[in-house]
Amino acid sequence: MLKKLMVLTVVLAVTAFAAYGPIPIPAGVEPDVYPVLPLRDGSITTISSSPAAAPLVAGDRGGVTMYDYQQNGAMGNRIAIDSAGNAHICWMHSEDETFAARDVYYNVWEKASGSFPGYWPDGVKASGVPRAGYTTMGALSDGRAVIAFHHDPDGDGVHQSAIVIDAAPGLGAFSSPVDVDPVTVPEQPIWPHIVVDNNDVIHVTAHISPADPANPPYNVDYLYYSRSTDQGQTFSPWKVITQTAGNDAAIAASKDGSKVAIAWMDAFPIEGIDWRRAMNGNIKYVESTNGGVSWSAPVNVTADYYTQEPVPNSSEEGLWWGAWYPDIDCAYDAAGNLHIGWGEGLRAYEVHGEPPDDTLFFWSMHKHFLRMVHWSEVTNDVNIASGPYSQFVPLTEEGDTIWDIYGFYLWGMAQRIENYFRPGIGCWNPQLAAIGSGDDILYTWQGQWDSLDLSAGGAINADIYAAISTNGGATWGGVADWTEGEFDENGFGLVAYATNLTNTHSPNAQVGHCESEEYHSAYPWIGSDSILHVTYIHDLFSGSVVQRGPGQGIVTTNPVMYLGSNDPAMKIYVGSGPEPRPQPESTSVAEAPYVEAPVITLLGKHPVAGSVIFSVSAPGTHAWLKIYDVAGSLVETIFDGTLDGTRMLTWDTKDAPAGVYFYSFVTPARTAKGRVVIIH
């Protein structure tokens, strides 16, 4: 059975180049290559010199912001779908490049019109007069949007969490902010995340990051919980969930409203350092089965997965895997099972000095080699949802790692070390969404495995990826129908682990021309229409402008996008193909053998009205290019022979009826496939 809405190509994780030319790869280093499925058809033309008014990704623009940075931890929910199918979105907004004026904005994509309303071309302000930001949202059963943020109500620099509610569904006339329990906790919890259950109970979690050396450890977060049972008019007193969180938390409610869960990364202690905790740790959660009235004891889901001993305070002691502090999400599937997703990376530390010594040196490798990890009640097990290809760990011929001269950084930027430019590739910002009525689950994240796709500022241009599981998270694969024969035609076992949902490329793009899908948030329920709903920031110059990075001080007005009902690529199909190859049982770092992949590019515009021109490359090896129709019958063999360098191959379509065709480019190493649409 041929795949639906899917082009199979091999994404080359070419690590020999960066924004400013080639990186000299040390002898013996062979980065691994694994396949990813781009959901969108045809080749993407880079746009480094074209206008940036229309993004390459199909979708609807709901607003703009110069403040591209949306969260400093868990992404949470910035999109909600009401019972009528309308998509409500919110975001942190600024049109002042100093960011002195920072607000929370709102818009609603209306299903009846299939668009955002014309009278709000850039959205509407939801947060009131004081400076506000770091927002999440939900919707009441009657369709009214509920938006959370933290703000400075008195203008004195003291922030606290607040909620606003729309006066009517999609009206955009929000109430005055209601502060969440401004009394119980003197230093107010901020960075709120909310979820609205089907009983219209508003659940809130927020946190405090104390910086008091007299009250160690001073770099962990105190997580709090509150709720409203009267649609946001009043809130319960803040309740302490944990005092050892490593930054932020995720919150979720089951579909029937019977369960609520809060998940976080619990920071590891550091050996001999009682005033600071590590930025990695275990994953824990608490659950309420009575609407937030009471909570279970914390459950450690990685107790048998990560080491329990304190982290040595010197990098010379070695490296360990651990959950990364900002990246976590949780969701219930339709059967009521809890799922938790997080980012995982290697860790090692060197800690010197004593607080409040400003010269404190704290080094962590938690940003290296990030991959997306999953745990669920269905399996009660931890596995790698993003597939082993996200584990880029170059080794020397002797099996040693070479951190100092060749590595990868994963916080959306490249870093120049001596004469080496190190592109940031990997994955981050996990989001989970339930599918159907059972334990099917979709896992999305942002990232990039193409080290060539860097902006002119050296930052990666991120895409949105997805993997699907139909067995409660035990195994993961792409999000369209595919069969073993399609992937293993020549016995080489080409199995895709994930799908690139956006698949945009803008290498070397200048300010205002980058194709980078940042800070995405996915609605946690995929209904009977199979549509995944996502909002994201279309970052026109990759790299945050309000945090450290190569883009600091360069501000662009970025579109705020909605992907969903208008985009066929967001219709999620459950895969029926082979199970992925077994996940590694050990968390140790290992290098898989390198296999050179064939390169094929479809040139020109798509759909094609005349001849189809392919650019192919597989130097010094036998290859063939064949065309098939939708029934799987061979239409024409375009090439069968030995390739010497790159060649242009032409398929004359004058005798081919209009319709959909599939090409297959095969070498002894790999097979690359794709779809082409012919019109006359």
Side-chain angles (χ1 to χ4, degrees):
M1 178 176 60
L2 291 172
K3 54 191 175 298
K4 298 177 181 177
L5 300 174
M6 186 70 67
V7 179
L8 172 60
T9 63
V10 175
V11 173
L12 298 179
V14 181
T15 56
F17 295 90
Y20 298 105
I23 300 175
I25 302 178
V29 175
E30 295 182 339
D32 199 3
V33 176
Y34 281 83
V36 177
L37 298 174
L39 195 56
R40 296 169 192 281
D41 296 347
S43 300
I44 298 294
T45 302
T46 60
I47 59 147
S48 57
S49 61
S50 63
L56 290 180
V57 178
D60 297 87
R61 196 192 81 157
V64 296
T65 183
M66 289 183 176
Y67 208 103
D68 52 357
Y69 195 80
Q70 293 293 302
Q71 297 286 354
N72 60 359
M75 285 295 101
N77 301 322
R78 296 198 321 277
I79 182 168
I81 311 301
D82 63 27
S83 58
N86 303 309
H88 307 259
I89 64 172
C90 66
W91 64 95
M92 190 157 52
H93 168 274
S94 178
E95 293 184 24
D96 175 3
E97 63 183 17
T98 68
F99 307 124
R102 189 187 72 188
D103 308 293
V104 172
Y105 265 54
Y106 161 85
N107 211 336
V108 57
W109 181 91
E110 299 169 332
K111 187 170 184 179
S113 64
S115 64
F116 288 99
Y119 46 82
W120 289 338
D122 295 327
V124 62
K125 186 176 177 180
S127 56
V129 175
R131 188 171 190 262
Y134 297 92
T135 179
T136 56
M137 73 174 306
L140 297 170
S141 57
D142 62 7
R144 288 182 293 151
V146 180
I147 299 179
F149 46 82
H150 69 242
H151 67 159
D152 180 3
D154 299 321
D156 57 3
V158 178
H159 291 81
Q160 53 197 55
S161 296
I163 304 287
V164 295
I165 299 180
D166 206 349
L171 185 61
F174 287 89
S175 64
S176 297
V178 175
D179 293 328
V180 180
D181 180 26
V183 177
T184 304
V185 182
E187 185 181 359
Q188 278 292 297
I190 54 177
W191 299 288
H193 288 70
I194 67 168
V195 65
V196 182
D197 69 23
N198 71 341
N199 299 312
D200 282 350
V201 177
I202 304 171
H203 304 272
V204 187
T205 184
H207 65 99
I208 296 172
S209 295
D212 180 10
N215 186 24
Y218 69 87
N219 70 309
V220 296
D221 289 352
Y222 295 2
L223 290 184
Y224 293 84
Y225 166 81
S226 179
R227 67 176 189 145
S228 174
T229 58
D230 55 11
Q231 299 186 354
Q233 298 181 57
T234 61
F235 287 85
S236 65
W238 287 113
K239 173 183 175 61
V240 177
I241 297 297
T242 181
Q243 294 184 351
T244 56
N247 176 285
D248 221 345
I251 187 168
S254 62
K255 204 173 185 79
D256 62 3
S258 64
K259 300 177 182 178
V260 185
I262 300 172
W264 69 93
M265 189 279 287
D266 200 74
F268 285 122
I270 302 176
E271 186 178 75
I273 307 293
D274 60 358
W275 45 267
R276 191 173 185 103
R277 288 237 173 182
M279 301 175 75
N280 293 81
N282 278 303
I283 297 297
K284 295 183 178 180
Y285 77 90
V286 293
E287 187 175 57
S288 174
T289 57
N290 53 16
V293 175
S294 61
W295 293 85
S296 69
V299 178
N300 186 350
V301 304
T302 56
D304 298 325
Y305 187 68
Y306 299 133
T307 179
Q308 299 300 293
E309 275 123 33
V311 177
N313 66 7
S314 170
S315 63
E316 296 178 359
E317 299 293 335
L319 301 170
W320 299 265
W321 286 107
W324 188 32
Y325 74 95
D327 276 359
I328 190 169
D329 192 40
C330 63
Y332 285 93
D333 62 32
N337 304 297
L338 181 64
H339 297 252
I340 305 176
W342 67 91
E344 178 186 71
L346 292 172
R347 65 185 191 274
Y349 299 88
E350 289 183 37
V351 181
H352 306 284
E354 293 287 340
D357 183 1
D358 291 336
T359 64
L360 169 70
F361 176 62
F362 179 71
W363 174 64
S364 170
M365 297 186 67
H366 61 272
K367 294 179 182 178
H368 287 264
F369 316 123
L370 204 65
R371 55 193 186 186
M372 293 289 101
V373 183
H374 170 269
W375 171 91
S376 76
E377 289 184 300
V378 181
T379 64
N380 193 28
D381 197 11
V382 175
N383 63 14
I384 302 168
S386 58
Y389 59 82
S390 62
Q391 185 180 332
F392 287 95
V393 183
L395 303 176
T396 65
E397 291 180 341
E398 292 75 27
D400 299 322
T401 57
I402 44 177
W403 311 108
D404 293 333
I405 58 175
Y406 193 77
F408 303 93
Y409 282 80
L410 303 177
W411 189 241
M413 64 184 72
Q415 299 201 7
R416 191 175 183 89
I417 306 295
E418 297 179 348
N419 295 321
Y420 297 94
F421 231 92
R422 313 208 280 190
I425 60 178
C427 46
W428 57 93
N429 293 349
Q431 294 274 276
L432 294 165
I435 308 173
S437 59
D439 59 15
D440 294 354
I441 197 81
L442 186 76
Y443 199 141
T444 66
W445 61 87
Q446 288 167 222
Q448 187 57 267
W449 283 286
D450 178 3
S451 65
L452 293 176
D453 196 5
L454 298 177
S455 73
I460 69 165
N461 295 308
D463 289 338
I464 301 174
Y465 292 81
I468 196 170
S469 176
T470 59
N471 51 18
T475 56
W476 298 88
V479 297
D481 289 344
W482 38 276
T483 65
E484 187 169 0
E486 229 179 316
F487 284 79
D488 203 18
E489 185 171 314
N490 293 282
F492 295 109
L494 181 60
V495 176
Y497 287 87
T499 299
N500 188 333
L501 293 177
T502 51
N503 196 34
T504 60
H505 304 274
S506 55
N508 262 337
Q510 301 293 325
V511 178
H513 301 290
C514 286
E515 287 292 334
S516 188
E517 296 81 60
E518 302 275 2
Y519 300 102
H520 89 295
S521 178
Y523 183 60
W525 303 105
I526 297 175
S528 58
D529 60 1
S530 299
I531 297 295
L532 169 66
H533 301 273
V534 169
T535 185
Y536 70 93
I537 307 299
H538 175 209
D539 192 351
L540 299 177
F541 191 59
S542 301
S544 173
V545 296
V546 295
Q547 303 290 324
R548 291 171 302 190
Q552 184 165 353
I554 302 177
V555 182
T556 53
T557 300
N558 302 307
V560 179
M561 302 297 294
Y562 160 66
L563 283 174
S565 297
N566 278 350
D567 192 341
M570 301 305 284
K571 194 172 183 68
I572 300 303
Y573 295 99
V574 175
S576 59
E579 290 187 357
R581 285 170 283 188
Q583 303 286 354
E585 296 181 0
S586 170
T587 60
S588 61
V589 175
E591 181 189 17
Y594 173 74
V595 179
E596 183 179 0
V599 177
I600 182 168
T601 303
L602 180 65
L603 302 180
K605 295 182 178 180
H606 190 259
V608 180
S611 296
V612 180
I613 301 175
F614 300 93
S615 172
V616 298
S617 177
T621 186
H622 186 88
W624 53 256
L625 174 62
K626 296 183 179 183
I627 307 295
Y628 298 87
D629 61 21
V630 293
S633 300
L634 178 64
V635 174
E636 187 173 341
T637 298
I638 306 301
F639 179 83
D640 188 349
T642 300
L643 284 172
D644 184 13
T646 300
R647 291 185 56 177
M648 303 298 175
L649 302 176
T650 301
W651 175 34
D652 187 350
T653 66
K654 67 177 185 299
D655 295 328
V660 178
Y661 295 85
F662 296 87
Y663 60 84
S664 181
F665 181 51
V666 178
T667 72
R670 292 280 177 90
T671 298
K673 296 185 178 183
R675 188 177 76 167
V676 58
V677 178
I678 302 301
I679 58 176
H680 293 301

